[in-house]
Amino acid sequence: MNIKRIFGALLTALGIAGLIYTAVVFTNTTGGNRDIKQLIIYGVLGLLFFASGISLVRNTKDES
């Protein structure tokens, strides 16, 4: 069992959840009521987790 792959999958799932939450917040608020700081924070963290999870899964070699 490779811990790096499990951690990469967890980071990827957290990144997807962060991006989905950002999209939900973006669509549920109107023009003047958008909290830009919240959108930026969750969007950037979602992208960061997603990208690092994908690269961790991709670069980890299978050794049996």
Side-chain angles (χ1 to χ4, degrees), residues 7-62:
F7 189 63
L10 180 67
L11 283 176
T12 304
L14 284 173
I16 290 170
L19 291 173
I20 289 172
Y21 183 71
T22 303
V24 168
V25 169
F26 182 76
T27 57
N28 284 341
T29 56
T30 58
N33 296 334
R34 283 203 178 110
D35 189 12
I36 300 299
K37 187 189 300 184
Q38 184 180 15
L39 288 173
I40 291 172
I41 288 171
Y42 287 121
V44 168
L45 284 176
L47 281 174
L48 181 72
F49 283 178
F50 183 74
S52 63
I54 291 293
S55 69
L56 191 60
V57 169
R58 183 183 299 166
N59 293 332
T60 304
K61 295 177 182 160
D62 283 333

